[in-house]
Amino acid sequence: MPLKKNLRQMFFWVLAFTLLIAMYQNVKSVPREKQIPYSEFKAKLKAKEISTVLISPGLIKGEFKEGDKKISFKTISLSDPKLIEDMETAGVGSFSGEADKSWITSLLLNVGWILIFVFLWWFLFMRQAQMGGKQAMGFGKSKAKQQDLKKQKVTFKDVAGCEETKEELSDIVDYLKNPKKYRRLGGELPKGVLLYGPPGTGKTLLARAIAGEAGVPFFTSSGSEFVEMFVGVGASRVRDLFERAKKSAPAIVFVDELDAVGRSRFAGIGGGHDEREQTLNQMLVELDGFEANEGIILIGATNRPDVLDTALLRPGRFDRRINVPVPDIQGRLEILKVHSKKVKLAEGTDLSVIARHTPGFVGADLANIVNEAAILASKKDKKGVEVGDFEEAIEKMIAGPQRRSRIISDREKKIVAYHEAGHALVARSLPGSDPVHKISIIPRGPALGYTLQLPLEDKYLTSKTEILNKLCVLLGGRAAEELVFSEITTGAQDDLSKVTNYAQKMVLEFGMSDKIGPISLKKDEAEVFLGRDIMRQPGYSNETAKNVDDEVTRIVAECHVKAREILSSSRSVLDAIAARLIEKEVVDASEMEAFFSAGKSAA
Ligand code: ADP
Ligand code: MG
Ligand code: ZN
């Protein structure tokens, strides 16, 4: 190994140099002169005992006789203008001066020390770099590991509860298996695939499964490996990683936690982060650099697709984006099945009970629960893991601080189900609303559930009817709660703030209120922004302000009434949707449609 040899050589030189200097200093100080005071020197001079004198700046050396012996001496020279005269009268055998030659010695000495320090620093630095990457030798080499395919192979079977995601990934696997089939017709596969979803949903696992399925070399690395203290190191690691991958193409390069490098470049306050920016730029260069038919696919994973730099998401880069969602009740059951293969279940243990009790749990949570349950059961010397052990494990997990918010009781689940069903049913009943795409009561961030409406086409103009419909839909959640539970919850807070906002806009900005008329009362926002207008005056009279408030209240009240009417007139449909939501947590468009038409024909 060249590095080892270098190191040894360097070490030798450092040692040799140190020895040399030490020796030089020793030799120099071998003739030990006797240090005497200047007065003694003068006394000896007067007594004519001094035989030779050598005067250098600040120092006088020489020899004096003591009996038969000659003894070397030195003394600090003092300003003594009569010294030469005295020496002449004393008849000193030889006296001479010496220029200050010490500068050359000191220079040599200093250079020596500097060299030693440089060598030492270099030596330490190289050692650190060597320790950094076990196989990699340089600082700028990628630490990415090439996964051993034979060892612990992960396949799609190990990833459960995300069938759609696997479906989307399977053609990439297929491409890597027989690239010729795809190239024949000139098809190009994406260079970059971005897996995104909440933490613990199995993104890393999926990437490993792709490699296992495709049977190609798989280079794993993590975004944080590219973020180093020194500018340029990350970029060179990226370069190195892609070089290695290209050598063994077709191959997969996986960058986990992509947001560590891929964060938007302009997000920081004041001054950029040079290192990360360079790394990101290098990654973009690599992505642009390789042709799609080179057989390299870059897979990135992130929990935060929203913070990624838009340049990464441009066509030709990470243009295939695949969502890895929080699993629904069926998905959770599948994941539990996968993980409980490793443990011994007691006879008759029904995992679907566990799945039902864990809304909002992700794959990592469920894996954890299975493991915890197995430990609990072993502690009690049971023959197999029972439902009770799972329940205990779930409770333990929920008690943990970060999960507390995730779990919902059965009653809460019912309320959320009716709330979302209310939104959906109102939306479906009002002509001209955006079609309901999906209803879900799987918690997602702060929201306990959501109803997804997708517009049929892009819209740039919105009519008054459409806004009113939207208000009805937003109020449908609260209305359903009132209708069914005769009690309301805080769950509608977000809906209500949206409702108020829209209603105010209708009156103030869009001129959609008959009472106020086609007037936009909104003030130019730029003024506020510039801070000139802090004591902002409404720009209209108190009377108008009252009218605005009245109008907003009226619009909201009317929409509320309408939403309630819709829901109470098709209560059976509402009940059916809510029941299905409680059972399955997700209802899609076609199921929704079936319930709706069943309700229609029954009426
Ligand atoms: P992410 O990368 O999305 O944060 P991981 O892939 O690291 O999540 O998942 C952590 C662990 O959780 C996995 O090793 C696996 O044991 C378990 N896990 C997560 N999702 C699933 C899934 N869909 N199916 C089976 N196991 C899963
Ligand atoms: Mg991960
Ligand atoms: Zn709502």
Side-chain angles (χ1 to χ4, degrees), residues 200 203-205 254 256-257 301 303:
K203 298 179 293 297
T204 309
L205 191 68
F254 176 52
D256 209 350
E257 320 292 347
N303 312 325

Side-chain angles (χ1 to χ4, degrees), residues 153 367 441:
K153 188 167 156 175
I441 57 166

Side-chain angles (χ1 to χ4, degrees), residues 419-420 423 449-451 473-474 476-478 481 491-495:
H419 179 104
E420 296 304 328
H423 284 310
Y450 58 92
T451 299
V473 172
L474 281 166
R478 163 63 67 94
E481 287 181 43
Q493 190 229 331
D494 185 50
D495 296 337

Side-chain angles (χ1 to χ4, degrees), residues 188-204:
E188 271 190 22
L189 247 89
K191 298 175 187 173
V193 178
L194 182 66
L195 298 172
Y196 67 93
T201 45
K203 298 179 293 297
T204 309

Side-chain angles (χ1 to χ4, degrees), residues 344-347 349 373-392:
K344 197 160 176 289
L345 292 183
E347 229 167 278
T349 301
I375 290 171
L376 288 171
S378 330
K379 262 191 201 159
K380 292 175 202 145
D381 284 326
K382 288 187 187 170
K383 282 210 189 76
V385 189
E386 294 163 9
V387 171
D389 302 316
F390 281 106
E391 302 276 11
E392 209 180 322

